[in-house]
Amino acid sequence: MILDSNQKKNLQKNEIITYHFSEDSRVFHDNQTFEYVINNDTLTFFDQIKEIDEVVIEDGKKIKKPVKNERKISSMALVANCKTAFLVKLKASDKIFINSINFTVQDKTDFDKNLGKIKIQILENKTDLPDNTNLLMEFEKNLSEFDLDFNNYQLAKMKIKFPRKLKYPKNGFFVMMEYIAPKSKYLMLRAGKEHFFWFYPNENKWKYMKEYPSFYYTLDIIK
């Protein structure tokens, strides 16, 4: 049973794919409402949710900190109107779901919350290259949505929540980011030790940029 706009509706299994779920939709079961996620033709709802910030979950082992790539003591520019992508691959089972990805904004002076937006695509990983033909998710975040709390070192955590929970694919996934800002040239983020891919529109292909570091990130996940 689905509770949507205070209206209850019984769904059959074959209706899950065609039903239009809203942001306020909840699974209604045993006189309670629960959050849910849909993956292919399966609807999973969580009777208990605990968000786990920056951890690695391995089957049969203890929870370890953290789920993140290695950090460099440097920054990297998210260049305006250019597409970059990097691989997220965890030592984790495919039974976890990702709620958010978090970046560190490096410089307060370069962050104008009234200017621009970030376009994000979650792409499938098949051959360790971003696959534009297999789009898992696509959404945009205006900088005005972020109320960043900068510390004395001008660093601030920028949490980007996914529009729906992403079931972790066994081969990992690519995060494509494009900073769309007509007046600003870049957004400075804390760098990671991995490298990223740059999209060349004239050649319609991704190229591995081993001379440039990717972005440092952490993940918020649930299991």
Side-chain angles (χ1 to χ4, degrees):
M1 183 175 288
I2 302 298
L3 184 65
D4 202 346
S5 300
N6 294 322
Q7 299 293 320
K8 296 178 183 177
K9 179 175 177 59
N10 282 312
L11 291 186
Q12 301 300 318
K13 182 177 180 180
N14 58 4
E15 296 178 291
I16 291 175
I17 297 300
T18 57
Y19 183 75
H20 177 69
F21 290 86
S22 71
E23 291 186 6
D24 297 325
S25 299
R26 293 291 184 271
V27 170
F28 189 77
H29 176 70
D30 197 22
N31 292 319
Q32 297 183 67
T33 58
F34 300 99
E35 292 198 41
Y36 66 92
V37 66
I38 296 175
N39 185 259
N40 296 327
D41 62 348
T42 301
L43 184 147
T44 301
F45 65 92
F46 305 91
D47 58 349
Q48 295 183 4
I49 291 184
K50 181 180 180 181
E51 289 202 12
I52 307 171
D53 186 20
E54 303 180 11
V55 300
V56 168
I57 295 179
E58 297 181 357
D59 285 343
K61 296 183 180 180
K62 294 181 179 180
I63 295 175
K64 301 178 180 180
K65 282 194 173 182
V67 166
K68 60 183 180 180
N69 58 346
E70 291 188 64
R71 182 171 58 190
K72 292 187 71 173
I73 307 176
S74 63
S75 59
M76 183 63 194
L78 180 60
V79 181
N81 306 312
C82 294
K83 294 181 179 180
T84 62
F86 59 89
L87 179 63
V88 174
K89 201 165 187 177
L90 311 176
K91 293 180 180 178
S93 74
D94 60 359
K95 296 181 181 180
I96 67 171
F97 294 85
I98 298 172
N99 265 359
S100 310
I101 187 167
N102 312 304
F103 301 98
T104 302
V105 177
Q106 181 76 18
D107 196 338
K108 182 178 182 179
T109 59
D110 291 328
F111 186 82
D112 185 349
K113 66 183 298 182
N114 299 311
L115 181 63
K117 59 186 178 181
I118 300 175
K119 179 180 178 180
I120 298 171
Q121 292 181 338
I122 307 301
L123 303 172
E124 192 169 304
N125 171 39
K126 286 190 174 179
T127 58
D128 288 337
L129 278 171
D131 188 350
N132 294 335
T133 64
N134 285 282
L135 181 65
L136 302 177
M137 197 180 297
E138 182 177 33
F139 58 100
E140 294 181 349
K141 292 287 185 180
N142 291 316
L143 293 192
S144 58
E145 297 181 44
F146 301 105
D147 188 16
L148 301 186
D149 184 17
F150 286 89
N151 61 23
N152 293 335
Y153 300 97
Q154 296 199 64
L155 300 175
K157 181 179 178 179
M158 182 170 67
K159 177 188 289 287
I160 298 179
K161 188 172 182 178
F162 291 178
R164 65 179 186 276
K165 298 173 182 65
L166 174 69
K167 185 177 182 180
Y168 177 70
K170 63 180 181 180
N171 293 325
F173 59 91
F174 276 91
V175 178
M176 188 288 296
M177 295 201 300
E178 182 180 5
Y179 177 37
I180 302 173
K183 295 182 180 179
S184 181
K185 294 182 179 180
Y186 53 82
L187 179 63
M188 298 303 298
L189 302 177
R190 177 60 63 94
K193 289 190 175 181
E194 301 297 324
H195 301 280
F196 66 82
F197 293 81
W198 201 298
F199 186 70
Y200 286 77
N202 293 337
E203 302 178 43
N204 193 32
K205 65 185 300 185
W206 290 95
K207 292 186 179 181
Y208 184 60
M209 308 300 291
K210 62 181 181 180
E211 63 268 34
Y212 296 112
S214 181
F215 305 111
Y216 170 73
Y217 67 83
T218 61
L219 300 174
D220 296 336
I221 64 176
I222 60 175
K223 184 180 181 184

